[in-house]
Amino acid sequence: MKMGTATGTKRVVAHVCLVLTAGLTVAVCPAMAGVAQAEPVAVAPPLPFPLPPAPPYLDPGFYNPDPGKVAAAQPGEILAARQVNLANFFLIPLNVRAWQLSFRSTNTRGEPIAAVATVIVPHRPSLTPDRNLVAFQFAEDSLSINCAPSYVLQMGSLPNPTNPVISAEFIEVQAMLQLGHAVVVPDHQGPNAAYAAGPLGARITLDSIRAAENFDQAGLSGAATRTALWGYSGGAIPTAHAAELQPTYAPELNIAGSAVGGLLADLRMSLDYNNGTSTFGGAVLGGLFGVAREYPVLNQFIDQYMNPLGKAVRVVHEGQCVALQFAGFPFVNIKGLFNYPGGDPMTAPELQPLLDEMTLGRRGTPPFPLYIYEAPLDEAMPINAVNKLYDTYCKDPNAQVAYTREIISEHGIAAVSGAGSAVMWLNDRLNGVPAPQGCSNRDVPLQILDPGAFAAVVNALGQTLASALGMPV
């Protein structure tokens, strides 16, 4: 159900006032109750070109709705919806059907929170009787809500040279759309941009799937919708945690498989690996600050034990998008920014439950097939942690894990080289092709040399260029 012309006009006026005064709400919907979506929400129309979308911090009505309304909803219940126009690199229109959903999720303390996701449905028909869904988690890796994909993917959003990863990874989303699958893109860092807080991102990711399946305009089959998870680097963190949490947090979802690459499997090992020795040290430090936004125990620890230099570095990091997270403070001595009387701050007793919660493999093996790809020369993510995770999962006799190590690659190259193989593997799972039983691992020079992988990458690039000319996806 769409709003009428009068309501749409009100939304445009409200948006203009919002941009000027940050004082009005742009989308509303009635409160609902129940586990399933009680009734369809009103869907606000897209903003007329060339009116630009408001960044999240100027859009509180949608991104931070009334807490009472959020608390009254069930996880995954839609609070508001609006149609949006998407674009490659801010200005090149993408001919798809797309909406933003504001929905209820849950933080790591069990408290209700609002979250936002973008649902994208291609014009081309599904190749299966019912359309499948991919939950794609971007490597947002940022400490500002204005770096979130829901904003960056929109037509007319402000160009931000410090946030190029989302625009680049959007090609991978389009590869799945071109195969006929719908895609849901959660703002998995949540309302406080809690970068690297995997258990939080997992809950938001799973609730975004629930919201997409509840959204009538997406044309999905509810909880029966065959769904896959995909994320690389900062997007792999919530993806991998979602795979582990799904059996207990959202057991009704029909997950066909999960693909992750460039994976941070163990925060302790990553901090050791990047402490004063890595060009990506600043990104890992930014992740530590992001986790502190979700876990008060870490934030209190930083306030108490981080030295003045560390606190100054934190001020510089706050509010930065991914490029500055990675470029800022290479080779930083992370542990040297603390004056902890016990020596290594990561050995503090009060931090151990948090570090355990952030470590993958402790919740058991996900009950569906997994595809993991990693570069042993990855600058940020220690390969030993991923090897250990593979061994942990594969102790389960029912595990289905395909693990690829790309031996002459590094973090950025593996992201591109592994995309084609991940697309093919996910597409097979979504189309009902069974994954091989058991666990397997292999070492390859570059995954793009896998049969069909290069063609998959070239096709995605070609179709993206064609869409720039208005071709429907």
Side-chain angles (χ1 to χ4, degrees):
M1 176 172 67
K2 293 187 178 182
M3 289 183 175
T5 304
T7 307
T9 302
K10 290 178 183 177
R11 180 172 179 254
V12 171
V13 173
H15 177 84
V16 173
C17 296
L18 175 66
V19 172
L20 294 177
T21 69
L24 295 179
T25 299
V26 300
V28 294
C29 72
M32 294 164 289
V35 175
Q37 198 69 35
E39 60 184 55
V41 299
V43 180
L47 294 169
F49 183 82
L51 191 66
Y57 82 100
L58 290 177
D59 197 356
F62 195 83
Y63 284 86
N64 291 291
D66 175 60
K69 182 178 179 180
V70 177
Q74 296 297 314
E77 188 174 319
I78 301 168
L79 305 172
R82 60 191 183 193
Q83 191 173 359
V84 291
N85 296 315
L86 304 185
N88 281 294
F89 300 99
F90 316 103
L91 289 175
I92 305 172
L94 184 66
N95 192 349
V96 293
R97 294 171 289 161
W99 303 266
Q100 285 179 352
L101 305 180
S102 174
F103 59 95
R104 194 266 206 196
S105 190
T106 307
N107 67 15
T108 56
R109 297 176 296 283
E111 300 163 346
I113 58 171
V116 171
T118 305
V119 177
I120 315 169
V121 180
H123 292 291
R124 64 188 60 194
S126 171
L127 298 179
T128 55
D130 296 311
R131 196 181 293 276
N132 304 315
L133 179 67
V134 178
F136 188 94
Q137 288 61 250
F138 279 94
E140 184 180 338
D141 297 6
S142 304
L143 291 172
S144 169
I145 59 173
N146 294 323
C147 309
S150 62
Y151 177 65
V152 177
L153 295 177
Q154 286 191 76
M155 178 78 174
S157 59
L158 294 175
N160 188 339
T162 71
N163 201 24
V165 174
I166 288 177
S167 295
E169 285 193 315
F170 195 31
I171 296 172
E172 296 175 354
V173 169
Q174 291 168 67
M176 302 311 298
L177 294 170
Q178 290 152 12
L179 292 168
H181 308 302
V183 177
V184 59
V185 175
D187 290 356
H188 58 79
Q189 293 186 175
N192 297 317
Y195 162 33
L200 171 70
R203 289 166 171 81
I204 293 173
T205 294
L206 294 169
D207 285 327
S208 77
I209 296 171
R210 286 168 160 161
E213 293 175 349
N214 278 332
F215 186 57
D216 287 347
Q217 281 83 344
L220 301 175
S221 303
T225 304
R226 186 179 286 123
T227 304
L229 311 170
W230 188 11
Y232 189 87
S233 186
I237 299 172
T239 303
H241 281 275
E244 289 192 358
L245 280 172
Q246 182 269 333
T248 55
Y249 185 80
E252 81 282 6
L253 298 181
N254 179 17
I255 307 296
S258 174
V260 293
L263 177 61
L264 192 157
D266 187 318
L267 183 58
R268 292 183 183 91
M269 294 179 70
S270 184
L271 285 165
D272 288 341
Y273 184 71
N274 288 275
N275 192 52
T277 62
S278 170
T279 56
F280 282 18
V284 175
L285 178 61
L288 192 68
F289 295 145
V291 172
R293 293 183 172 187
E294 176 62 16
Y295 292 90
V297 63
L298 179 56
N299 192 55
Q300 293 164 8
F301 186 87
I302 289 173
D303 286 344
Q304 183 174 359
Y305 294 114
M306 185 165 265
N307 60 37
L309 175 59
K311 291 180 178 179
V313 170
R314 188 181 193 184
V315 171
V316 174
H317 260 292
E318 296 288 356
Q320 301 296 350
C321 290
V322 56
L324 293 182
Q325 294 290 343
F326 277 68
F329 308 104
F331 305 107
V332 61
N333 180 357
I334 298 172
K335 296 181 181 181
L337 299 176
F338 289 86
N339 293 331
Y340 178 63
D344 184 347
M346 293 302 106
T347 64
E350 61 265 43
L351 296 184
Q352 300 318 300
L354 159 61
L355 295 172
D356 288 344
E357 186 175 339
M358 297 290 294
T359 300
L360 290 165
R362 292 177 174 266
R363 303 181 191 90
T365 302
F368 41 79
L370 307 176
Y371 184 86
I372 303 172
Y373 53 110
E374 197 83 11
L377 300 179
D378 194 304
E379 302 94 324
M381 314 302 184
I383 191 70
N384 288 343
V386 184
N387 292 342
K388 179 181 176 182
L389 179 64
Y390 171 79
D391 292 339
T392 299
Y393 283 160
C394 292
K395 291 177 182 177
D396 184 335
N398 297 315
Q400 292 178 277
V401 186
Y403 177 29
T404 299
R405 290 177 292 257
E406 193 166 287
I407 58 177
I408 64 171
S409 189
E410 53 76 57
H411 192 78
I413 293 173
V416 177
S417 178
S421 295
V423 165
M424 293 189 298
W425 187 91
L426 289 165
N427 190 53
D428 281 346
R429 304 292 82 77
L430 289 168
N431 289 334
V433 179
Q437 295 297 316
C439 293
S440 63
N441 63 83
R442 62 181 184 135
D443 295 321
V444 300
L446 293 168
Q447 292 173 88
I448 203 167
L449 300 177
D450 289 347
F454 181 75
V457 172
V458 170
N459 181 65
L461 291 171
Q463 294 280 358
T464 299
L465 291 173
S467 71
L469 302 176
M471 180 178 292
V473 176

